[in-house]
């Protein structure tokens, strides 16, 4: 038996939100150091950690990344942190593999970088790690996420997770205030916002490629109900399977917001994109290697084909900003129920051993065979 459950139980009991993973990071850093890694903490002034093991011999630089943050839920009126996306499991599996691979003296070439990234849920973490330059020298980067029961069963593993691109667009629609008795002297911001939403809903995209754009927040209150409101705030959630589809959809949404508001004489006072995640870019060769490792470890029935999800993952900032990276991302079947981000999310803990095995075999695959050149 490995240490995976010990690590998991410890991390599960100390859920911390993005950029506040202080206890989590301290635990992971101490364990990595004890295992023989050169550890860098507080990356980019935040909570990220990189543990490096250099074989001293030529070879590729392999990075494996796990995310550390928990989610904030409001349950029975109380704001609490809870690991409902399984990031505690991701850290526990990667730490266990990192410890075992050194204890077994399995690295014969190149360099291994164990990356514990903060703030995946807010989309900020990967960018901080990138800006600090700690990913620059990596050739192959691997990630893993536990999956809900609907996607893949415990004991099975998805060889490639194709996450979608997602972004949030916030706009302030500006009208002209007036007395409710004289609406002709004003421009109702609510009318402008509704026209903008209707224009967005009328966007047509190639139906062969999955994408969606919808209004998810509409706020307008001038404080009185007998006046024409001046401002309305609208927010759109936008998703697309591919990055070029997102580019097209985003342009159309922005144009529709402006044009829609203009139909009633309103204007767009401000428009911002506070969060954005690129779609998955995975290397087919790495996916093939991961598929072989899954079959070799657990048999053919365990291998699930590539899976496309409208969900986002900030891991793909790495491939988006560093196109030389060859990336692989597996989905670990753990029977997570009722679903990720559900306050009562729970899963089959015994499946975590499978994640440890995949990580270890990946490290062995890329950093074990001695260099001949
Ligand atoms: Zn999540
Ligand atoms: Zn997650």
């Amino acid at each position: 038996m490995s240490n995976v459950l010990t690590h998991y139980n410890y991390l599960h009991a100390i859920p911390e939100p993005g950029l506040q993973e202080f206890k989590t990071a301290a635990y992971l850093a101490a364990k990595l150091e004890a295992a023989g890694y050169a550890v860098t903490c507080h990356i980019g002034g935040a909570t990220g950690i990189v543990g490096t093991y250099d074989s001293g011999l030529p070879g590729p630089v392999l990075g494996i990344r796990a995310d550390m943050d928990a989610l904030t839920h409001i349950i029975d009126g109380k704001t609490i942190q809870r690991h409902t996306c399984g990031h505690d499991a991701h850290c526990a599996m990667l730490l266990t593999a990192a410890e075992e691979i050194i204890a077994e003296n399995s690295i014969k070439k190149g360099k291994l970088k164990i990356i514990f990234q903060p703030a995946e849920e807010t989309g900020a973490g990967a960018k901080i790690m990138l800006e600090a330059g700690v990913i620059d020298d990596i050739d192959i980067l691997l990630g893993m996420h536990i999956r809900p029961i609907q996607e893949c069963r415990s004991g099975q593993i998805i060889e490639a997770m194709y996450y979608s691109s997602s972004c949030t667009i916030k706009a302030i629609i500006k009208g002209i205030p007036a007395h409710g008795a004289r609406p002709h002297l004003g421009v109702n911001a609510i009318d402008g916002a509704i026209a903008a939403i209707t224009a967005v809903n009328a966007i047509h995209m190639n139906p062969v490629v999955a994408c969606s754009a919808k209004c998810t927040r509409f706020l307008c209150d001038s404080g009185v109900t007998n006046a024409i409101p001046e401002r309305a705030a609208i927010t759109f959630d936008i998703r697309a399977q591919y990055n070029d589809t997102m580019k097209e959809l985003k342009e159309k949404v922005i144009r529709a917001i402006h044009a829609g508001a203009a139909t009633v004489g309103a204007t767009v006072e401000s428009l911002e994109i506070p969060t954005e995640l690129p779609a998955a870019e995975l290397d087919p060769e790495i996916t093939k290697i991961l598929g072989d490792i899954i079959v070799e470890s657990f048999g053919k029935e365990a291998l699930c084909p590539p899976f496309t999800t409208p969900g986002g993952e900030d891991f793909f900032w790495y491939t988006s900003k560093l196109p030389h990276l060859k990336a692989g991302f597996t989905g670990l079947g753990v029977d997570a129920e009722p679903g990720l981000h559900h306050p009562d999310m729970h899963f089959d803990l015994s499946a975590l051993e499978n994640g440890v095995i995949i990580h270890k075999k990946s490290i062995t695959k890329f950093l074990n065979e001695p260099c001949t050149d």
Side-chain angles (χ1 to χ4, degrees):
M1 279 298 283
S2 76
N3 283 332
V4 72
L5 285 182
T6 310
H7 294 324
Y8 172 81
N9 288 331
Y10 182 85
L11 296 169
H12 189 68
I14 53 160
E16 297 168 294
L19 303 179
Q20 293 176 48
E21 305 95 334
F22 305 115
K23 286 187 232 158
T24 305
Y27 179 81
L28 295 168
K31 295 287 178 193
L32 277 181
E33 214 160 270
Y37 289 82
V39 180
T40 313
C41 299
H42 310 297
I43 288 167
T47 41
I49 298 167
V50 176
T52 306
Y53 184 87
D54 191 346
S55 71
L57 293 167
V61 180
L62 170 68
I64 310 183
R65 168 276 208 179
D67 37 14
M68 301 188 286
D69 53 326
L71 281 95
T72 301
H73 292 270
I74 299 173
I75 299 168
D76 297 332
K78 278 193 201 133
T79 301
I80 60 152
Q81 261 74 48
R82 199 174 274 181
H83 271 297
T84 56
C85 203
H87 298 183
D88 47 354
H90 303 163
C91 290
M93 291 187 289
L94 182 54
L95 176 62
T96 306
E99 288 176 332
E100 290 186 7
I101 212 82
I102 301 299
E104 291 162 12
N105 196 22
S106 294
I107 300 178
K108 303 294 182 200
K109 65 174 177 183
K111 214 192 260 187
L112 175 63
K113 291 181 97 168
I114 301 294
I115 298 151
F116 290 112
Q117 181 213 295
E120 190 283 326
E121 295 292 346
T122 62
K127 283 186 183 166
I128 294 171
M129 302 299 271
L130 276 162
E131 276 158 27
V134 296
I135 312 296
D136 290 357
D137 65 337
I138 293 175
D139 302 304
I140 302 157
L141 185 65
L142 304 178
M144 179 185 279
H145 204 298
I146 64 162
R147 302 315 306 159
I149 193 166
Q150 298 84 359
E151 288 180 17
C152 163
R153 296 304 307 261
S154 184
Q156 295 183 311
I157 300 167
I158 299 169
E159 62 179 352
M161 286 298 304
Y162 281 92
Y163 285 89
S164 294
S165 170
S166 59
C167 87
T168 307
I169 298 184
K170 284 180 159 183
I172 304 286
I173 306 298
K174 189 170 181 298
I176 298 169
H179 193 289
R182 288 173 284 281
H184 59 293
L185 299 180
V187 171
N188 192 330
I190 292 178
D191 293 338
I194 289 171
I197 294 164
T198 306
V200 169
N201 288 343
I203 290 171
H204 293 292
M205 296 287 290
N206 182 349
V208 171
V209 181
C211 67
S212 71
K214 59 273 168 196
C215 180
T216 51
R217 179 179 285 165
F218 188 142
L219 301 170
C220 182
D221 184 1
S222 67
V224 287
T225 51
N226 56 358
I228 304 300
E230 186 180 12
R231 282 187 181 78
I234 46 176
T235 301
F236 295 87
D237 174 89
I238 298 170
R239 285 162 199 270
Q241 197 176 336
Y242 306 121
N243 287 319
D244 53 353
T245 313
M246 174 56 88
K247 188 171 178 286
E248 182 189 342
L249 182 57
K250 211 161 68 180
E251 281 166 10
K252 285 184 170 175
V253 167
I254 292 169
R255 194 170 64 208
I257 294 170
H258 282 276
T263 59
V264 298
T267 54
V268 179
E269 185 177 60
S270 68
L271 190 144
E272 52 165 333
I273 302 179
T275 56
E276 194 165 15
L277 293 176
E281 306 266 11
L282 296 172
D283 185 84
E285 236 176 276
I286 303 290
T287 296
K288 166 88 178 57
I289 291 170
L290 290 169
D292 290 347
I293 289 173
I294 294 165
V295 172
E296 180 191 302
S297 311
F298 311 110
K300 261 194 202 150
E301 321 70 55
L303 178 68
C304 293
F307 189 87
T308 300
T309 166
E313 174 44 89
D314 89 339
F315 179 92
F316 296 102
W317 276 121
Y318 296 125
T319 46
S320 168
K321 297 282 182 199
L322 299 173
H324 75 270
L325 270 183
K326 289 184 165 191
F329 201 107
T330 45
L332 184 71
V334 297
D335 284 357
E337 290 184 284
L340 300 179
H341 292 199
H342 189 288
D344 299 324
M345 193 279 285
H346 59 278
F347 61 92
D348 171 17
L349 291 173
S350 73
L352 297 184
E353 293 287 352
N354 299 348
V356 176
I357 290 168
I358 296 298
H359 283 324
K360 282 179 70 181
K361 290 212 171 174
S362 306
I363 298 167
T364 309
K365 175 73 198 167
F366 294 110
L367 302 180
N368 189 267
E369 291 125 45
C371 225
T372 48
D373 50 37

